[in-house]
Amino acid sequence: MTQAERLLYLINYLLDENPDLTSIDIPIDEASKKRLLRSLMNIRLPKPVSADFLAVQDAYLQEALAAKGIVSLSELPAVQSGIYLWQGDITRLSVDAIVNAANSAMLGCFVPCHGCIDNAIHSAAGLQLRLECSAIMKQQGFEEPTGKAKITSAYNLPCRYVLHTVGPIIHGQVTPADCKLLSDCYRSCLELAAAYQLKTIAFCCISTGEFHFPNKQAAEIAIKTVQDYQRKNQNGLEVVFNVFKDRDYEIYKELLG
């Protein structure tokens, strides 16, 4: 199959399995088709999917990743010992684990083509990620608490694992409890990475998007938590602070010197 043929196959499969979507017309241009596919993947509930679909999906996502380009840790300059700063798409990073800012349902973002990192990670990983998260949550039996962390495979991402953590949601003023919970997110991810003997982990800006934690205050907490952990645990765990927005890059650049 060509990439265009894979794209059309995946769209048709997802449309055919859902009777409510049969009235949707497949657009002609490729960009709109890609957006439709991502939307269909985003709204799909965690349910069984055929091996044929997954094989085509994996080939499609792997080729899409190759087109975007994979970024390895060796390409990033260290800003401090064991700490890196990189601005870009976290789904391109080839590290041991990337961190996903999840919500308490832990199933990914169901809003079609939403701009959150949860949506981006699930879209690039493939349907298997939502299925694994669903299995974890069914076994757990309750929503994921704020400040904890879970680990899953990464599937079609260039990293090995995804660490999922739920940050605090800010309503009004930031409280000391909010700050502690955000620090717990970073610490829980670091401890989970160490438990799996991982050596590199890339953090997104947890809670600063849809959860409205002030960007600079969140960055200060993130950096302090990581530095404190690295001082206390001489296990060689290296950390990438991954930012996407220019504003966050300038904040981290200033704070990290």
Side-chain angles (χ1 to χ4, degrees), residues 139-151:
Q139 183 176 19
Q140 179 165 287
F142 54 87
E143 289 193 335
E144 181 71 0
T146 303
K148 304 298 183 181
K150 292 286 191 297
I151 188 168

Side-chain angles (χ1 to χ4, degrees), residues 53-242:
F53 175 91
L54 292 179
V56 176
Q57 174 212 248
D58 292 353
Y60 175 81
L61 292 176
Q62 287 296 314
E63 188 162 323
L65 171 62
K68 286 194 299 184
I70 297 173
V71 178
S72 65
L73 190 69
S74 62
E75 299 175 57
L76 309 181
V79 291
Q80 292 183 9
S81 178
I83 294 180
Y84 303 78
L85 175 63
W86 184 69
Q87 183 179 18
D89 179 356
I90 199 170
T91 66
R92 296 174 58 203
L93 278 177
S94 176
V95 290
D96 285 339
I98 63 171
V99 174
N100 178 30
N103 57 53
S104 59
M106 277 275 290
L107 296 177
C109 173
F110 283 86
V111 180
C113 296
H114 192 251
C116 69
I117 196 163
D118 198 12
N119 190 296
I121 288 174
H122 274 264
S123 297
L127 297 186
Q128 300 98 314
L129 183 55
R130 178 167 285 170
L131 292 170
E132 183 177 354
C133 287
S134 177
I136 290 171
M137 296 309 289
K138 283 180 181 177
Q139 183 176 19
Q140 179 165 287
F142 54 87
E143 289 193 335
E144 181 71 0
T146 303
K148 304 298 183 181
K150 292 286 191 297
I151 188 168
T152 65
S153 297
Y155 301 102
N156 291 291
L157 295 163
C159 55
R160 295 169 56 201
Y161 299 99
V162 180
L163 305 180
H164 307 261
T165 188
V166 181
I169 302 173
I170 303 303
H171 303 286
Q173 294 294 316
V174 178
T175 67
D178 294 325
C179 296
K180 181 183 182 302
L181 285 170
L182 183 59
S183 181
D184 288 345
C185 288
Y186 285 90
R187 190 176 302 104
S188 294
C189 288
L190 291 164
E191 291 172 350
L192 187 56
Y196 277 76
Q197 299 182 322
L198 308 186
K199 293 301 181 185
T200 53
I201 177 174
F203 282 104
C204 62
C205 300
I206 302 167
S207 277
T208 58
E210 296 295 311
F211 287 7
H212 306 298
F213 210 108
N215 297 60
K216 186 171 184 179
Q217 192 172 2
E220 291 169 344
I221 292 168
I223 292 170
K224 184 179 186 306
T225 305
V226 166
Q227 289 175 335
D228 287 348
Y229 176 88
Q230 288 178 329
R231 274 195 298 269
K232 294 174 184 175
N233 301 272
Q234 302 293 321
N235 55 10
L237 183 54
E238 297 188 295
V239 170
V240 179
F241 287 114
N242 168 252

